[in-house]
Amino acid sequence: MMKKIGLLTSGGDAPGMNAAIRAVVRTAIYFGMEVYGIERGYSGLIDDTMTRMEMRSVSDIVQRGGTRLRTARCLEMLTEEGQKTAVSTLERHGIEGLVVIGGDGSFRGAKCLTENYGIPTIGIPGTIDNDLEYTDYTLGFDTAVNTCLDVINKLRDTMNSHERISVVEVMGRHCGDIALYTGITSGAEIIVVPEITYDMDSIVKRIDLSRQNGKHSNIIIVAEGACSADEFAKQLQAVTSYSVRSTNIGHIQRGGSPSMADRMLAAQFGNKAVRLLKDGIGNRVVGIRKNEIIDMDIIEAVSMKKRFNYELYETLQMISM
Ligand code: ATP
């Protein structure tokens, strides 16, 4: 059985990372393993900043956003020299396996450690973007969408009073999921996502129709990967007589206390990751599919292309008028 494991958070932070850290540490200690918290993602492996974590090192963090191990984007990890330094740090400390909590990029780092250097590594999908195909949900996505909904509830009040159109920018990098889920659950009439080319004429027609049908305001959710809210609002204002305002939710959607759904994922992902390592299984990522916690080959997982859910998009089109 593996005796010593390492744990890091990498890439963009996401609510629920702390709850996952807690689950990993507590499960490892339950099985009598030592667990080392590596700081600032892969940077901590390269410059050897890690501390042993105990039961109480993870007290009072289940409800906190961010990551207490801190996170970083580490360019050195992209070089062979950086990777070798990272591996020698692990060897020097006798760390036999690694848990990496992060997004797509972080998984590529994990895949590299596993594939090229034989270090058993388990990936936990921690990103608000929900941009990984192999899992239905990533950790942090639910909380981020809930934060967007809070903002939009407030915007609705003022937009309705002034009979305006609100253009709201959400995150997601190249993925439209935050916009799609926020759009459906906030009642937005239109979403603009990187997966679908938008046509301003039909957007204006849709807005006009909604006003004829008795609406007094409109919400348009724009994913950052498609356009900025400012730019989109400018384009729209040029072709409509309704007053348009833009709001960029920005980094607010990355913070805050994780939702029940994210804490539940964190508990299950963290627990599963350590159970796999305990049994000597590495080179896997954990996820959730059809409400079941799953694990799959890390190389296969990172090579899967994220698909957009067109059915949900059509649902939005049908119910938001
Ligand atoms: P998010 O999607 O939330 O931004 P992410 O994990 O995709 O998170 P990235 O910045 O893409 O964020 O990656 C995080 C880190 O993973 C990089 O800074 C780098 O240290 C490491 N990494 C990324 N790609 C590779 C790779 N091909 N080989 C080795 N390490 C990598």
Side-chain angles (χ1 to χ4, degrees):
M1 193 181 88
M2 224 175 255
K3 274 286 173 206
K4 245 188 209 186
I5 63 168
L7 163 66
L8 61 85
T9 51
S10 160
D13 68 337
M17 278 184 164
N18 273 327
I21 291 170
R22 169 178 176 268
V24 167
V25 169
R26 298 255 169 101
T27 307
I29 293 171
Y30 176 88
F31 286 123
M33 300 157 109
E34 281 180 34
V35 48
Y36 286 80
I38 297 148
E39 282 174 32
R40 296 184 184 79
Y42 292 109
S43 315
L45 269 188
I46 289 169
D47 54 29
D48 197 352
T49 29
M50 61 174 82
T51 44
R52 181 159 171 195
M53 300 186 83
E54 310 286 354
M55 281 300 210
R56 297 279 78 77
S57 325
V58 290
S59 294
D60 202 30
I61 65 169
V62 72
Q63 79 282 22
R64 294 187 200 280
T67 160
R68 61 153 304 165
L69 288 175
R70 304 194 196 281
T71 183
R73 303 199 195 265
C74 167
L75 294 179
E76 264 180 285
M77 191 60 194
L78 301 175
T79 67
E80 202 183 314
E81 201 192 333
Q83 292 158 11
K84 285 189 170 149
T85 313
V87 171
S88 67
T89 305
L90 288 169
E91 285 170 354
R92 204 165 44 249
H93 288 276
I95 294 173
E96 302 151 282
L98 188 66
V99 177
V100 171
I101 307 174
D104 184 50
S106 306
F107 280 9
R108 286 179 202 283
K111 169 181 169 252
C112 162
L113 289 176
T114 263
E115 205 177 21
N116 303 342
Y117 302 94
I119 311 232
T121 304
I122 306 288
I124 293 178
T127 168
I128 64 165
D129 300 338
N130 211 38
D131 57 351
L132 294 164
E133 176 61 23
Y134 82 92
T135 182
D136 292 345
Y137 295 107
T138 58
L139 193 56
F141 174 68
D142 182 73
T143 307
V145 170
N146 276 300
T147 302
C148 293
L149 293 179
D150 281 348
V151 172
I152 292 164
N153 288 343
K154 292 185 172 119
L155 277 173
R156 241 181 205 288
D157 295 340
T158 166
M159 291 300 146
N160 227 339
S161 309
H162 287 272
E163 304 186 276
R164 282 177 172 148
I165 302 171
S166 186
V167 177
V168 184
E169 181 179 329
V170 299
M171 287 184 165
R173 300 232 273 190
H174 305 294
C175 177
D177 273 24
I178 296 182
L180 177 64
Y181 283 68
T182 302
I184 290 197
T185 55
S186 68
E189 286 81 19
I190 291 149
I191 64 164
V192 179
V193 290
E195 292 88 347
I196 300 172
T197 319
Y198 67 88
D199 167 43
M200 201 52 100
D201 283 346
S202 48
I203 288 175
V204 170
K205 277 195 193 117
R206 198 168 159 81
I207 290 168
D208 290 344
L209 187 65
S210 79
R211 298 286 176 130
Q212 284 159 27
N213 287 342
K215 285 211 177 192
H216 290 277
S217 65
N218 302 91
I219 295 166
I220 303 179
I221 311 288
V222 180
E224 66 176 349
C227 194
S228 78
D230 283 347
E231 174 55 31
F232 188 88
K234 214 184 285 172
Q235 289 175 21
L236 178 60
Q237 192 63 87
V239 290
T240 184
S241 52
Y242 299 114
S243 157
V244 183
R245 290 291 184 273
S246 70
T247 304
N248 183 358
I249 301 180
H251 282 82
I252 292 169
Q253 68 204 286
R254 290 254 286 261
S257 185
S259 64
M260 180 280 277
D262 278 331
R263 293 184 202 196
M264 189 59 98
L265 281 186
Q268 295 181 97
F269 286 169
N271 184 261
K272 178 84 174 180
V274 177
R275 283 169 183 262
L276 289 167
L277 281 181
K278 177 185 83 74
D279 295 338
I281 301 166
N283 328 333
R284 311 285 289 176
V285 287
V286 298
I288 184 162
R289 234 187 265 155
K290 296 190 165 69
N291 243 348
E292 207 179 295
I293 301 298
I294 53 122
D295 61 282
M296 80 177 285
D297 185 82
I298 192 165
I299 296 164
E300 204 182 319
V302 298
S303 68
M304 288 170 85
K305 195 175 159 4
K306 171 77 182 179
R307 281 175 304 175
F308 186 70
N309 191 332
Y310 290 93
E311 213 177 308
L312 274 184
Y313 183 74
E314 280 169 17
T315 305
L316 179 141
Q317 302 275 38
M318 289 183 214
I319 68 175
S320 68
M321 288 302 281

mmCIF file of all heavy atoms in Angstrom, residues 101-108 123-139 172 175 177 269 285-289 296 298 301-307:
data_model
loop_
_atom_site.group_PDB
_atom_site.id
_atom_site.type_symbol
_atom_site.label_atom_id
_atom_site.label_comp_id
_atom_site.label_asym_id
_atom_site.label_seq_id
_atom_site.Cartn_x
_atom_site.Cartn_y
_atom_site.Cartn_z
ATOM 1 N N ILE A 101 -5.608 18.651 -8.285
ATOM 2 C CA ILE A 101 -6.949 19.244 -8.421
ATOM 3 C C ILE A 101 -6.824 20.435 -9.360
ATOM 4 O O ILE A 101 -6.092 21.384 -9.066
ATOM 5 C CB ILE A 101 -7.499 19.716 -7.048
ATOM 6 C CG1 ILE A 101 -7.440 18.585 -6.018
ATOM 7 C CG2 ILE A 101 -8.922 20.256 -7.199
ATOM 8 C CD1 ILE A 101 -7.830 18.992 -4.597
ATOM 9 N N GLY A 102 -7.468 20.377 -10.515
ATOM 10 C CA GLY A 102 -7.347 21.482 -11.466
ATOM 11 C C GLY A 102 -8.112 21.199 -12.735
ATOM 12 O O GLY A 102 -8.876 20.231 -12.815
ATOM 13 N N GLY A 103 -7.888 22.030 -13.733
ATOM 14 C CA GLY A 103 -8.594 21.890 -15.003
ATOM 15 C C GLY A 103 -7.775 21.133 -16.034
ATOM 16 O O GLY A 103 -6.816 20.411 -15.704
ATOM 17 N N ASP A 104 -8.165 21.344 -17.247
ATOM 18 C CA ASP A 104 -7.575 20.690 -18.401
ATOM 19 C C ASP A 104 -6.033 20.780 -18.431
ATOM 20 O O ASP A 104 -5.328 19.779 -18.604
ATOM 21 C CB ASP A 104 -8.196 21.421 -19.611
ATOM 22 C CG ASP A 104 -7.786 20.824 -20.907
ATOM 23 O OD1 ASP A 104 -7.908 19.603 -21.032
ATOM 24 O OD2 ASP A 104 -7.347 21.587 -21.783
ATOM 25 N N GLY A 105 -5.506 21.982 -18.260
ATOM 26 C CA GLY A 105 -4.060 22.191 -18.282
ATOM 27 C C GLY A 105 -3.370 21.419 -17.165
ATOM 28 O O GLY A 105 -2.352 20.748 -17.374
ATOM 29 N N SER A 106 -3.945 21.491 -15.976
ATOM 30 C CA SER A 106 -3.375 20.780 -14.825
ATOM 31 C C SER A 106 -3.353 19.280 -15.077
ATOM 32 O O SER A 106 -2.418 18.577 -14.679
ATOM 33 C CB SER A 106 -4.195 21.073 -13.573
ATOM 34 O OG SER A 106 -4.301 22.452 -13.394
ATOM 35 N N PHE A 107 -4.381 18.784 -15.759
ATOM 36 C CA PHE A 107 -4.433 17.359 -16.090
ATOM 37 C C PHE A 107 -3.328 16.990 -17.088
ATOM 38 O O PHE A 107 -2.803 15.886 -17.069
ATOM 39 C CB PHE A 107 -5.801 16.994 -16.684
ATOM 40 C CG PHE A 107 -6.880 16.799 -15.651
ATOM 41 C CD1 PHE A 107 -6.667 17.115 -14.315
ATOM 42 C CD2 PHE A 107 -8.114 16.287 -16.011
ATOM 43 C CE1 PHE A 107 -7.671 16.941 -13.359
ATOM 44 C CE2 PHE A 107 -9.126 16.103 -15.071
ATOM 45 C CZ PHE A 107 -8.910 16.439 -13.757
ATOM 46 N N ARG A 108 -2.993 17.923 -17.976
ATOM 47 C CA ARG A 108 -1.905 17.640 -18.926
ATOM 48 C C ARG A 108 -0.579 17.495 -18.182
ATOM 49 O O ARG A 108 0.256 16.654 -18.512
ATOM 50 C CB ARG A 108 -1.811 18.730 -19.992
ATOM 51 C CG ARG A 108 -2.930 18.611 -20.986
ATOM 52 C CD ARG A 108 -2.951 19.662 -22.072
ATOM 53 N NE ARG A 108 -4.306 19.732 -22.598
ATOM 54 C CZ ARG A 108 -4.841 18.856 -23.440
ATOM 55 N NH1 ARG A 108 -4.103 17.869 -23.919
ATOM 56 N NH2 ARG A 108 -6.096 18.952 -23.829
ATOM 57 N N GLY A 123 -6.275 12.746 -11.075
ATOM 58 C CA GLY A 123 -6.785 14.104 -11.314
ATOM 59 C C GLY A 123 -8.196 14.269 -10.774
ATOM 60 O O GLY A 123 -9.052 13.409 -10.955
ATOM 61 N N ILE A 124 -8.419 15.388 -10.085
ATOM 62 C CA ILE A 124 -9.773 15.778 -9.648
ATOM 63 C C ILE A 124 -10.159 17.019 -10.445
ATOM 64 O O ILE A 124 -9.426 18.010 -10.435
ATOM 65 C CB ILE A 124 -9.809 16.084 -8.130
ATOM 66 C CG1 ILE A 124 -9.550 14.812 -7.321
ATOM 67 C CG2 ILE A 124 -11.138 16.735 -7.724
ATOM 68 C CD1 ILE A 124 -9.530 15.020 -5.807
ATOM 69 N N PRO A 125 -11.286 16.989 -11.173
ATOM 70 C CA PRO A 125 -11.629 18.122 -12.033
ATOM 71 C C PRO A 125 -12.103 19.335 -11.234
ATOM 72 O O PRO A 125 -13.234 19.379 -10.773
ATOM 73 C CB PRO A 125 -12.765 17.569 -12.905
ATOM 74 C CG PRO A 125 -13.409 16.517 -12.063
ATOM 75 C CD PRO A 125 -12.322 15.925 -11.219
ATOM 76 N N GLY A 126 -11.221 20.298 -11.036
ATOM 77 C CA GLY A 126 -11.556 21.506 -10.282
ATOM 78 C C GLY A 126 -11.453 22.720 -11.182
ATOM 79 O O GLY A 126 -10.356 23.218 -11.427
ATOM 80 N N THR A 127 -12.551 23.152 -11.733
ATOM 81 C CA THR A 127 -12.591 24.351 -12.573
ATOM 82 C C THR A 127 -14.038 24.799 -12.701
ATOM 83 O O THR A 127 -14.935 23.957 -12.804
ATOM 84 C CB THR A 127 -11.976 24.111 -13.969
ATOM 85 O OG1 THR A 127 -12.304 25.219 -14.825
ATOM 86 C CG2 THR A 127 -12.497 22.840 -14.625
ATOM 87 N N ILE A 128 -14.256 26.112 -12.707
ATOM 88 C CA ILE A 128 -15.646 26.574 -12.835
ATOM 89 C C ILE A 128 -16.163 26.391 -14.256
ATOM 90 O O ILE A 128 -17.349 26.473 -14.508
ATOM 91 C CB ILE A 128 -15.798 28.062 -12.419
ATOM 92 C CG1 ILE A 128 -15.011 28.985 -13.353
ATOM 93 C CG2 ILE A 128 -15.404 28.275 -10.977
ATOM 94 C CD1 ILE A 128 -15.398 30.453 -13.222
ATOM 95 N N ASP A 129 -15.256 26.132 -15.212
ATOM 96 C CA ASP A 129 -15.628 26.174 -16.632
ATOM 97 C C ASP A 129 -16.502 25.013 -17.122
ATOM 98 O O ASP A 129 -17.148 25.126 -18.150
ATOM 99 C CB ASP A 129 -14.367 26.217 -17.511
ATOM 100 C CG ASP A 129 -13.509 27.440 -17.220
ATOM 101 O OD1 ASP A 129 -14.057 28.423 -16.692
ATOM 102 O OD2 ASP A 129 -12.304 27.410 -17.526
ATOM 103 N N ASN A 130 -16.499 23.902 -16.433
ATOM 104 C CA ASN A 130 -17.200 22.681 -16.865
ATOM 105 C C ASN A 130 -16.806 22.286 -18.295
ATOM 106 O O ASN A 130 -17.654 21.892 -19.103
ATOM 107 C CB ASN A 130 -18.720 22.846 -16.773
ATOM 108 C CG ASN A 130 -19.422 21.524 -16.470
ATOM 109 O OD1 ASN A 130 -18.908 20.714 -15.693
ATOM 110 N ND2 ASN A 130 -20.555 21.273 -17.079
ATOM 111 N N ASP A 131 -15.526 22.369 -18.585
ATOM 112 C CA ASP A 131 -15.069 22.171 -19.963
ATOM 113 C C ASP A 131 -14.422 20.806 -20.203
ATOM 114 O O ASP A 131 -13.690 20.622 -21.161
ATOM 115 C CB ASP A 131 -14.081 23.299 -20.346
ATOM 116 C CG ASP A 131 -12.892 23.373 -19.410
ATOM 117 O OD1 ASP A 131 -12.888 22.681 -18.369
ATOM 118 O OD2 ASP A 131 -11.963 24.131 -19.704
ATOM 119 N N LEU A 132 -14.670 19.849 -19.309
ATOM 120 C CA LEU A 132 -14.086 18.517 -19.489
ATOM 121 C C LEU A 132 -15.182 17.536 -19.907
ATOM 122 O O LEU A 132 -16.187 17.389 -19.210
ATOM 123 C CB LEU A 132 -13.417 18.061 -18.188
ATOM 124 C CG LEU A 132 -12.193 18.912 -17.784
ATOM 125 C CD1 LEU A 132 -11.819 18.667 -16.326
ATOM 126 C CD2 LEU A 132 -11.012 18.601 -18.687
ATOM 127 N N GLU A 133 -14.977 16.897 -21.028
ATOM 128 C CA GLU A 133 -16.018 16.056 -21.625
ATOM 129 C C GLU A 133 -16.326 14.801 -20.798
ATOM 130 O O GLU A 133 -17.459 14.354 -20.736
ATOM 131 C CB GLU A 133 -15.588 15.664 -23.055
ATOM 132 C CG GLU A 133 -16.507 14.716 -23.780
ATOM 133 C CD GLU A 133 -17.927 15.257 -23.986
ATOM 134 O OE1 GLU A 133 -18.112 16.486 -23.966
ATOM 135 O OE2 GLU A 133 -18.847 14.427 -24.153
ATOM 136 N N TYR A 134 -15.305 14.241 -20.154
ATOM 137 C CA TYR A 134 -15.500 12.933 -19.515
ATOM 138 C C TYR A 134 -16.382 12.988 -18.268
ATOM 139 O O TYR A 134 -16.870 11.969 -17.800
ATOM 140 C CB TYR A 134 -14.143 12.292 -19.180
ATOM 141 C CG TYR A 134 -13.541 12.810 -17.896
ATOM 142 C CD1 TYR A 134 -13.793 12.159 -16.686
ATOM 143 C CD2 TYR A 134 -12.759 13.960 -17.878
ATOM 144 C CE1 TYR A 134 -13.279 12.640 -15.500
ATOM 145 C CE2 TYR A 134 -12.245 14.444 -16.697
ATOM 146 C CZ TYR A 134 -12.508 13.785 -15.508
ATOM 147 O OH TYR A 134 -12.007 14.260 -14.327
ATOM 148 N N THR A 135 -16.587 14.181 -17.721
ATOM 149 C CA THR A 135 -17.392 14.301 -16.500
ATOM 150 C C THR A 135 -18.584 15.231 -16.754
ATOM 151 O O THR A 135 -18.454 16.226 -17.465
ATOM 152 C CB THR A 135 -16.522 14.797 -15.321
ATOM 153 O OG1 THR A 135 -17.319 14.853 -14.126
ATOM 154 C CG2 THR A 135 -15.932 16.174 -15.560
ATOM 155 N N ASP A 136 -19.743 14.893 -16.181
ATOM 156 C CA ASP A 136 -20.911 15.753 -16.380
ATOM 157 C C ASP A 136 -20.690 17.122 -15.726
ATOM 158 O O ASP A 136 -21.138 18.139 -16.247
ATOM 159 C CB ASP A 136 -22.175 15.099 -15.783
ATOM 160 C CG ASP A 136 -22.598 13.860 -16.558
ATOM 161 O OD1 ASP A 136 -22.109 13.671 -17.695
ATOM 162 O OD2 ASP A 136 -23.397 13.055 -16.030
ATOM 163 N N TYR A 137 -20.024 17.109 -14.567
ATOM 164 C CA TYR A 137 -19.779 18.363 -13.846
ATOM 165 C C TYR A 137 -18.357 18.434 -13.307
ATOM 166 O O TYR A 137 -17.795 17.423 -12.899
ATOM 167 C CB TYR A 137 -20.755 18.503 -12.661
ATOM 168 C CG TYR A 137 -22.183 18.621 -13.119
ATOM 169 C CD1 TYR A 137 -23.071 17.560 -12.946
ATOM 170 C CD2 TYR A 137 -22.642 19.776 -13.747
ATOM 171 C CE1 TYR A 137 -24.386 17.653 -13.395
ATOM 172 C CE2 TYR A 137 -23.952 19.879 -14.195
ATOM 173 C CZ TYR A 137 -24.811 18.821 -14.017
ATOM 174 O OH TYR A 137 -26.097 18.913 -14.466
ATOM 175 N N THR A 138 -17.811 19.639 -13.314
ATOM 176 C CA THR A 138 -16.530 19.881 -12.649
ATOM 177 C C THR A 138 -16.802 20.618 -11.338
ATOM 178 O O THR A 138 -17.819 21.297 -11.197
ATOM 179 C CB THR A 138 -15.588 20.739 -13.522
ATOM 180 O OG1 THR A 138 -16.248 21.990 -13.828
ATOM 181 C CG2 THR A 138 -15.229 20.033 -14.820
ATOM 182 N N LEU A 139 -15.855 20.495 -10.428
ATOM 183 C CA LEU A 139 -15.972 21.119 -9.118
ATOM 184 C C LEU A 139 -15.903 22.646 -9.257
ATOM 185 O O LEU A 139 -14.954 23.157 -9.855
ATOM 186 C CB LEU A 139 -14.783 20.610 -8.291
ATOM 187 C CG LEU A 139 -14.752 20.817 -6.797
ATOM 188 C CD1 LEU A 139 -15.991 20.214 -6.164
ATOM 189 C CD2 LEU A 139 -13.496 20.150 -6.244
ATOM 190 N N GLY A 172 -15.768 31.033 -18.510
ATOM 191 C CA GLY A 172 -15.891 29.726 -19.150
ATOM 192 C C GLY A 172 -14.810 29.435 -20.184
ATOM 193 O O GLY A 172 -14.832 28.391 -20.823
ATOM 194 N N CYS A 175 -15.457 27.484 -23.366
ATOM 195 C CA CYS A 175 -16.637 26.636 -23.176
ATOM 196 C C CYS A 175 -17.859 27.489 -22.822
ATOM 197 O O CYS A 175 -17.774 28.399 -22.007
ATOM 198 C CB CYS A 175 -16.321 25.635 -22.064
ATOM 199 S SG CYS A 175 -17.681 24.561 -21.639
ATOM 200 N N ASP A 177 -20.632 26.478 -21.272
ATOM 201 C CA ASP A 177 -21.523 25.878 -20.268
ATOM 202 C C ASP A 177 -21.998 26.849 -19.194
ATOM 203 O O ASP A 177 -23.163 26.804 -18.792
ATOM 204 C CB ASP A 177 -20.843 24.660 -19.615
ATOM 205 C CG ASP A 177 -21.096 23.401 -20.412
ATOM 206 O OD1 ASP A 177 -21.359 23.514 -21.626
ATOM 207 O OD2 ASP A 177 -21.030 22.291 -19.837
ATOM 208 N N PHE A 269 -15.144 13.087 -4.815
ATOM 209 C CA PHE A 269 -13.947 13.065 -5.677
ATOM 210 C C PHE A 269 -12.687 12.827 -4.826
ATOM 211 O O PHE A 269 -11.829 12.024 -5.175
ATOM 212 C CB PHE A 269 -13.786 14.396 -6.428
ATOM 213 C CG PHE A 269 -14.745 14.609 -7.577
ATOM 214 C CD1 PHE A 269 -14.843 15.869 -8.174
ATOM 215 C CD2 PHE A 269 -15.531 13.586 -8.074
ATOM 216 C CE1 PHE A 269 -15.714 16.093 -9.242
ATOM 217 C CE2 PHE A 269 -16.407 13.795 -9.142
ATOM 218 C CZ PHE A 269 -16.499 15.058 -9.725
ATOM 219 N N VAL A 285 -8.382 9.811 -13.726
ATOM 220 C CA VAL A 285 -9.075 11.009 -13.269
ATOM 221 C C VAL A 285 -10.422 10.553 -12.714
ATOM 222 O O VAL A 285 -10.955 9.536 -13.151
ATOM 223 C CB VAL A 285 -9.303 12.030 -14.414
ATOM 224 C CG1 VAL A 285 -8.020 12.708 -14.809
ATOM 225 C CG2 VAL A 285 -9.969 11.379 -15.623
ATOM 226 N N VAL A 286 -10.948 11.302 -11.753
ATOM 227 C CA VAL A 286 -12.263 10.972 -11.221
ATOM 228 C C VAL A 286 -13.286 11.962 -11.790
ATOM 229 O O VAL A 286 -12.928 13.054 -12.228
ATOM 230 C CB VAL A 286 -12.294 10.973 -9.673
ATOM 231 C CG1 VAL A 286 -11.362 9.929 -9.107
ATOM 232 C CG2 VAL A 286 -11.957 12.351 -9.112
ATOM 233 N N GLY A 287 -14.535 11.542 -11.796
ATOM 234 C CA GLY A 287 -15.573 12.403 -12.341
ATOM 235 C C GLY A 287 -16.944 11.910 -11.922
ATOM 236 O O GLY A 287 -17.057 10.976 -11.106
ATOM 237 N N ILE A 288 -17.968 12.533 -12.488
ATOM 238 C CA ILE A 288 -19.333 12.080 -12.202
ATOM 239 C C ILE A 288 -20.089 11.959 -13.525
ATOM 240 O O ILE A 288 -20.023 12.858 -14.377
ATOM 241 C CB ILE A 288 -20.065 13.015 -11.208
ATOM 242 C CG1 ILE A 288 -21.455 12.468 -10.853
ATOM 243 C CG2 ILE A 288 -20.175 14.454 -11.749
ATOM 244 C CD1 ILE A 288 -22.050 13.064 -9.595
ATOM 245 N N ARG A 289 -20.734 10.826 -13.707
ATOM 246 C CA ARG A 289 -21.522 10.618 -14.916
ATOM 247 C C ARG A 289 -22.846 9.966 -14.531
ATOM 248 O O ARG A 289 -22.842 8.962 -13.824
ATOM 249 C CB ARG A 289 -20.747 9.712 -15.884
ATOM 250 C CG ARG A 289 -20.616 10.352 -17.261
ATOM 251 C CD ARG A 289 -20.015 9.392 -18.220
ATOM 252 N NE ARG A 289 -18.574 9.558 -18.345
ATOM 253 C CZ ARG A 289 -17.751 8.588 -18.720
ATOM 254 N NH1 ARG A 289 -18.209 7.387 -18.955
ATOM 255 N NH2 ARG A 289 -16.472 8.837 -18.853
ATOM 256 N N MET A 296 -11.498 7.266 -14.827
ATOM 257 C CA MET A 296 -11.100 6.796 -16.155
ATOM 258 C C MET A 296 -9.654 7.150 -16.451
ATOM 259 O O MET A 296 -9.035 7.944 -15.729
ATOM 260 C CB MET A 296 -12.045 7.324 -17.234
ATOM 261 C CG MET A 296 -11.827 8.731 -17.688
ATOM 262 S SD MET A 296 -12.975 9.141 -19.022
ATOM 263 C CE MET A 296 -12.229 8.271 -20.378
ATOM 264 N N ILE A 298 -6.378 8.769 -17.579
ATOM 265 C CA ILE A 298 -6.112 10.201 -17.696
ATOM 266 C C ILE A 298 -5.789 10.609 -19.139
ATOM 267 O O ILE A 298 -6.205 11.681 -19.599
ATOM 268 C CB ILE A 298 -4.982 10.621 -16.717
ATOM 269 C CG1 ILE A 298 -4.898 12.149 -16.598
ATOM 270 C CG2 ILE A 298 -3.640 10.067 -17.106
ATOM 271 C CD1 ILE A 298 -4.083 12.623 -15.417
ATOM 272 N N ALA A 301 -9.001 10.720 -20.983
ATOM 273 C CA ALA A 301 -9.839 11.847 -20.523
ATOM 274 C C ALA A 301 -9.387 13.171 -21.140
ATOM 275 O O ALA A 301 -10.221 13.957 -21.592
ATOM 276 C CB ALA A 301 -9.813 11.933 -19.000
ATOM 277 N N VAL A 302 -8.076 13.426 -21.167
ATOM 278 C CA VAL A 302 -7.640 14.723 -21.701
ATOM 279 C C VAL A 302 -7.740 14.804 -23.223
ATOM 280 O O VAL A 302 -7.716 15.885 -23.789
ATOM 281 C CB VAL A 302 -6.206 15.141 -21.247
ATOM 282 C CG1 VAL A 302 -6.119 15.306 -19.752
ATOM 283 C CG2 VAL A 302 -5.151 14.186 -21.758
ATOM 284 N N SER A 303 -7.880 13.643 -23.873
ATOM 285 C CA SER A 303 -7.979 13.697 -25.336
ATOM 286 C C SER A 303 -9.429 13.849 -25.818
ATOM 287 O O SER A 303 -9.681 14.061 -26.998
ATOM 288 C CB SER A 303 -7.340 12.443 -25.954
ATOM 289 O OG SER A 303 -8.127 11.334 -25.615
ATOM 290 N N MET A 304 -10.397 13.759 -24.895
ATOM 291 C CA MET A 304 -11.803 13.877 -25.306
ATOM 292 C C MET A 304 -12.177 15.334 -25.568
ATOM 293 O O MET A 304 -11.806 16.215 -24.810
ATOM 294 C CB MET A 304 -12.727 13.312 -24.211
ATOM 295 C CG MET A 304 -12.684 11.807 -24.108
ATOM 296 S SD MET A 304 -13.527 11.200 -22.648
ATOM 297 C CE MET A 304 -15.194 11.136 -23.244
ATOM 298 N N LYS A 305 -12.892 15.546 -26.646
ATOM 299 C CA LYS A 305 -13.282 16.909 -27.003
ATOM 300 C C LYS A 305 -14.629 17.243 -26.369
ATOM 301 O O LYS A 305 -15.576 16.479 -26.482
ATOM 302 C CB LYS A 305 -13.382 17.008 -28.535
ATOM 303 C CG LYS A 305 -13.418 18.436 -29.020
ATOM 304 C CD LYS A 305 -13.405 18.487 -30.545
ATOM 305 C CE LYS A 305 -13.918 19.766 -31.132
ATOM 306 N NZ LYS A 305 -14.289 20.858 -30.292
ATOM 307 N N LYS A 306 -14.681 18.382 -25.703
ATOM 308 C CA LYS A 306 -15.923 18.789 -25.033
ATOM 309 C C LYS A 306 -17.027 19.048 -26.052
ATOM 310 O O LYS A 306 -16.823 19.769 -27.034
ATOM 311 C CB LYS A 306 -15.653 20.050 -24.204
ATOM 312 C CG LYS A 306 -16.868 20.714 -23.612
ATOM 313 C CD LYS A 306 -17.407 19.999 -22.380
ATOM 314 C CE LYS A 306 -18.674 20.694 -21.866
ATOM 315 N NZ LYS A 306 -19.250 20.050 -20.710
ATOM 316 N N ARG A 307 -18.183 18.448 -25.821
ATOM 317 C CA ARG A 307 -19.324 18.666 -26.715
ATOM 318 C C ARG A 307 -20.314 19.626 -26.082
ATOM 319 O O ARG A 307 -20.530 19.586 -24.869
ATOM 320 C CB ARG A 307 -20.035 17.334 -26.997
ATOM 321 C CG ARG A 307 -19.304 16.485 -28.042
ATOM 322 C CD ARG A 307 -19.978 15.152 -28.179
ATOM 323 N NE ARG A 307 -20.055 14.477 -26.879
ATOM 324 C CZ ARG A 307 -20.685 13.339 -26.673
ATOM 325 N NH1 ARG A 307 -21.316 12.741 -27.645
ATOM 326 N NH2 ARG A 307 -20.699 12.787 -25.466
#
